[in-house]
């Protein structure tokens, strides 16, 4: 694997330079953008492995940039924000981001989050490139592992990488109950920390909106109150 390239997007040049210098010392190639539009233009012309994206930018904020990236790319997105409320985190993750970190933050923590996201992205890409093709049918869903495609009654469902990984974890382990901490550790590939549980809950809520016929009355991803989530073991088969 070559040097991984990280795009840092923030309208504060000092923050961009500080993060860029630190990640460069950690061995990453760094691209920088001072606006959302500049970031999108770079993504159209350069190979980027991960985006570090500030939310509070003029003209085009990080939420809109994240939505536009997700229209065509599945690379990890790490949001930065001075806002620490749960609602801001929920909105950020619902736009398709993979992780969220609140300013002020330590550069060591940021680098650890970047490494974890890139490791997970590389692992999942390699695993699905090497594995034999398998199709899983479950409750109206068709999951094509080799292509990472998901269909609901033959209608293709667009999932983020994180949503897909959560769905696949639960369906391939149908009948087993996973706690929020276990889901985070298995999908994100790092130890569960404060805030990890709410991150998982946001992704599962978004996933339910996409795959459940009625997300308020889910039939696929079920709550096990006080424990976590599961899918039932019955209805699953592979071809």
């Amino acid at each position: 694997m070559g040097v991984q390239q990280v795009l840092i997007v923030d309208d504060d040049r000092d923050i961009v330079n500080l993060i860029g210098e630190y990640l460069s010392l950690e061995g990453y190639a760094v691209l920088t953008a001072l606006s959302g539009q500049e970031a999108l233009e770079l993504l159209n012309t350069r190979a980027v492995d991960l985006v570090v994206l500030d939310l509070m930018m003029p003209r085009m904020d990080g939420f809109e940039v994240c939505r536009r990236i997700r229209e065509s790319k599945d690379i990890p997105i790490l949001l930065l924000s001075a806002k620490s409320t749960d609602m801001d985190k929920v909105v950020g993750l619902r736009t398709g981001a993979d992780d969220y970190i609140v300013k002020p933050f330590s550069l060591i923590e940021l680098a650890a989050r970047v490494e974890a996201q890139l490791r997970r992205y590389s692992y999942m890409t390699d695993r699905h490139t090497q594995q034999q093709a398998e199709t899983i049918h479950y409750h109206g869903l068709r999951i094509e592992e080799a292509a990472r495609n998901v269909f609901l009654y033959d209608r293709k469902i667009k999932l983020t990488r994180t949503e897909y990984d959560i769905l696949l974890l639960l369906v391939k382990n149908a009948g087993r109950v996973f706690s929020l901490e276990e889901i985070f550790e298995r999908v994100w590939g790092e130890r569960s920390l404060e805030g990890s549980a709410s991150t998982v809950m946001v992704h599962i809520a978004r996933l339910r909106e996409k795959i459940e016929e009625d997300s308020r009355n889910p039939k696929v991803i079920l709550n096990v109150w006080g424990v976590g989530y599961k899918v039932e073991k019955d209805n699953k088969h592979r071809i």
Side-chain angles (χ1 to χ4, degrees):
M1 182 186 296
V3 176
Q4 292 170 303
Q5 189 147 260
V6 176
L7 172 61
I8 305 166
V9 189
D10 196 309
D11 61 316
D12 187 323
R13 188 181 297 275
D14 290 337
I15 290 178
V16 167
N17 290 339
L18 182 65
I19 296 173
E21 289 174 7
Y22 192 86
L23 292 182
S24 294
L25 291 173
E26 292 291 306
Y28 300 105
V30 172
L31 292 172
T32 62
L34 297 176
S35 70
Q37 187 59 46
E38 184 182 359
L40 294 174
E41 290 171 1
L42 276 170
L43 285 163
N44 285 331
T45 58
R46 304 290 294 273
V48 173
D49 297 295
L50 179 143
V51 180
V52 177
L53 175 63
D54 183 51
L55 282 180
M56 304 305 293
M57 295 186 294
R59 292 183 294 278
M60 185 187 300
D61 65 18
F63 295 123
E64 180 62 22
V65 177
C66 187
R67 278 191 288 267
R68 294 197 187 189
I69 294 172
R70 279 289 172 255
E71 289 175 359
S72 59
K73 298 184 183 297
D74 196 26
I75 57 178
I77 300 174
L78 173 59
L79 296 180
L80 304 178
S81 178
K83 295 185 175 183
S84 59
T85 67
D86 287 342
M87 183 52 65
D88 293 314
K89 182 174 183 178
V90 166
V91 174
L93 295 173
R94 285 171 65 91
T95 60
D98 297 280
D99 204 354
Y100 187 107
I101 187 168
V102 177
K103 296 178 179 178
F105 52 84
S106 75
L107 290 171
I108 293 174
E109 179 186 4
L110 175 64
R113 299 282 191 95
V114 168
E115 180 184 6
Q117 287 296 327
L118 286 170
R119 183 174 62 247
R120 181 171 74 92
Y121 182 83
S122 298
Y123 170 74
M124 295 305 298
T125 300
D126 292 344
R127 192 181 77 177
H128 286 282
T129 298
Q130 296 167 6
Q131 71 180 13
Q132 293 182 346
E134 182 176 46
T135 300
I136 301 173
H137 291 264
Y138 185 89
H139 233 299
L141 292 170
R142 185 172 85 249
I143 304 171
E144 298 175 348
E145 282 196 76
R148 297 179 67 86
N149 289 329
V150 177
F151 297 83
L152 178 62
Y153 298 117
D154 294 325
R155 178 172 61 89
K156 189 172 183 179
I157 306 297
K158 186 173 182 180
L159 301 182
T160 66
R161 178 171 292 270
T162 299
E163 292 163 353
Y164 176 88
D165 291 345
I166 291 172
L167 177 63
L168 192 65
L169 172 68
L170 295 175
V171 171
K172 293 193 78 169
N173 294 278
R176 176 180 169 183
V177 180
F178 285 89
S179 69
L180 292 167
E181 291 75 18
E182 285 179 297
I183 294 172
F184 186 88
E185 291 173 1
R186 292 282 293 271
V187 171
W188 274 259
E190 58 180 305
R191 184 170 58 86
S192 179
L193 302 171
E194 183 179 354
S196 300
S198 62
T199 296
V200 173
M201 291 175 67
V202 171
H203 284 289
I204 287 180
R206 181 63 171 164
L207 177 57
R208 279 174 163 168
E209 290 177 359
K210 295 180 179 182
I211 67 169
E212 300 279 3
E213 295 180 57
D214 179 1
S215 61
R216 293 170 297 181
N217 183 31
K219 301 297 185 184
V220 179
I221 300 177
L222 305 178
N223 287 72
V224 180
W225 297 109
V227 184
Y229 295 93
K230 72 170 183 175
V231 301
E232 295 290 0
K233 196 166 186 178
D234 297 350
N235 306 315
K236 185 187 73 166
H237 65 277
R238 294 178 169 87
I239 60 173

